[in-house]
Amino acid sequence: MSEQATQEYDDNLMALLETIWGEGFMSPGGVDEVDRYLDGISLDDRSVLDIGCGLGGIDVHLVRQHGAAQVTGIDIDPALIDRCNLFAQKHQVEAQTRFVCVEPGPLPFDDASFDIVTSKDSIIHIDDKQRLAADVYRVLKVGGWFVASDWLAGYDEQASPEMQEYLVAEGLDFGLASAKTYTDALQRAGFCDIDIVDRNEWYRQQARIEREQLGGILYDGLASRVGNEFLEHEIEVWDKMIVAIDQGQLRPSHLRGRKPGPNH
Ligand SMILES: C[S@@+](CC[C@H](N)C(=O)[O-])C[C@H]1O[C@@H](n2cnc3c(N)ncnc32)[C@H](O)[C@@H]1O
């Protein structure tokens, strides 16, 4: 399991991700993608846990646009927690947000603490999906939803050589799982209304736009911030990722499941 607290996302990588994906975001699709995976689930007046809050863009959005009463963002990187606090201040949602630096491992919250548990492209860093699902189930109130987005594997056994090449180039501590593994983990934890929506086709198009921007309109500005060598490496990562996405090996997906009981 990716269970050491590391600073995998260094300043250069964060600058690059924010430039491509928008202020406060370390994953693709911006607020539209968040709204899409939350479709039909009301956060109004609810307490929300966000696993892997990153730069805090999603947490601010959940308060401002979805009416969440209280959002608790957790991350393993203390520098990111500082950035989240600043971002929340900037958007005047300090009263409705709290950001907590955690150790990888069990969620440090009491049973039945949250109405909703969410996560955007962060649980890829947690290998043991069964333990994660059981822990999310534990901290949810009866009737509460787990609703998330993650990078899923399009394979159960062996990644293709091209996918392996992409993972090596990316260099992040990933623990990818397939839709089947996630479904099994959620079922075994006790969730009902489990649904997984594949976003591979959308991201096939989107990744190409991002690649074009990295090599074009964003290149000079980014190179002056992160250096040519780093930027060229990231462009190579995008090229390899596009092959993995085209092969269906890498599948961004939306996941949800409900803890049985009166619907929240
Ligand atoms: C790709 S970023 C996504 C951040 C944010 N959700 C977004 O979409 O902008 C993944 C985040 O997960 C965090 N992370 C990694 N392992 C974690 C763990 N075990 N618990 C909580 N956060 C973790 C990383 O530090 C990073 O901020």
Side-chain angles (χ1 to χ4, degrees):
M1 181 166 187
S2 332
E3 294 247 333
Q4 316 107 353
T6 52
Q7 280 185 276
E8 288 199 281
Y9 294 85
D10 65 18
D11 288 347
N12 279 348
L13 184 53
M14 283 192 292
L16 182 129
L17 298 182
E18 248 191 324
T19 303
I20 312 172
W21 290 332
E23 194 188 8
F25 284 85
M26 291 168 66
S27 65
V31 294
D32 289 349
E33 197 58 7
V34 176
D35 294 346
R36 189 182 280 266
Y37 79 70
L38 285 171
D39 188 38
I41 293 181
S42 172
L43 267 56
D44 203 25
D45 236 10
R46 302 291 185 208
S47 60
V48 181
L49 171 65
D50 178 21
I51 301 173
C53 51
L55 293 162
I58 290 167
D59 309 279
V60 167
H61 182 65
L62 299 185
V63 173
R64 291 188 72 110
Q65 303 304 324
H66 287 266
Q70 184 70 34
V71 177
T72 301
I74 60 168
D75 207 287
I76 58 169
D77 184 339
L80 288 176
I81 294 296
D82 291 345
R83 298 268 309 258
C84 285
N85 280 316
L86 289 174
F87 200 67
Q89 269 169 31
K90 181 175 163 186
H91 292 277
Q92 299 170 331
V93 295
E94 310 100 291
Q96 297 98 324
T97 50
R98 67 171 169 151
F99 297 98
V100 183
C101 192
V102 299
E103 292 294 323
L107 297 167
F109 302 103
D110 292 339
D111 297 359
S113 296
F114 301 98
D115 296 305
I116 310 280
V117 176
T118 189
S119 183
K120 174 84 165 62
D121 300 354
S122 297
I123 52 177
I124 187 173
H125 293 293
I126 299 174
D127 274 350
D128 188 338
K129 308 305 180 196
Q130 185 58 62
R131 196 169 81 184
L132 170 72
D135 211 19
V136 169
Y137 189 91
R138 179 185 66 76
V139 301
L140 271 174
K141 295 180 189 171
V142 166
W145 282 97
F146 174 50
V147 55
S149 163
D150 195 27
W151 302 94
L152 267 56
Y155 51 89
D156 276 304
E157 304 290 330
Q158 182 79 12
S160 70
E162 292 79 9
M163 177 69 175
Q164 290 178 31
E165 223 181 289
Y166 156 65
L167 291 171
V168 170
E170 183 76 86
L172 293 170
D173 192 5
F174 283 165
L176 283 110
S178 66
K180 180 181 177 310
T181 299
Y182 266 114
T183 304
D184 287 351
L186 291 168
Q187 268 169 357
R188 286 175 59 190
F191 283 96
C192 63
D193 300 337
I194 296 166
D195 193 30
I196 299 190
V197 176
D198 190 296
R199 297 287 287 149
N200 177 276
E201 195 51 44
W202 162 73
Y203 197 57
R204 280 186 78 183
Q205 314 304 323
Q206 191 59 30
R208 284 174 163 77
I209 296 169
E210 293 164 4
R211 166 62 180 90
E212 206 174 302
Q213 290 175 339
L214 284 174
I217 192 165
L218 297 177
Y219 191 94
D220 289 341
L222 265 174
S224 66
R225 289 179 71 191
V226 303
N228 285 75
E229 197 182 327
F230 180 81
L231 183 52
E232 287 297 335
H233 168 73
E234 286 301 320
I235 287 174
E236 203 182 306
V237 171
W238 246 261
D239 285 338
K240 290 180 192 302
M241 177 180 72
I242 285 170
V243 176
I245 295 265
D246 283 352
Q247 286 184 343
Q249 292 270 300
L250 185 61
R251 312 195 74 93
S253 299
H254 298 169
L255 321 157
R256 62 173 62 178
R258 192 167 61 83
K259 184 165 179 170
N263 202 339
H264 278 199

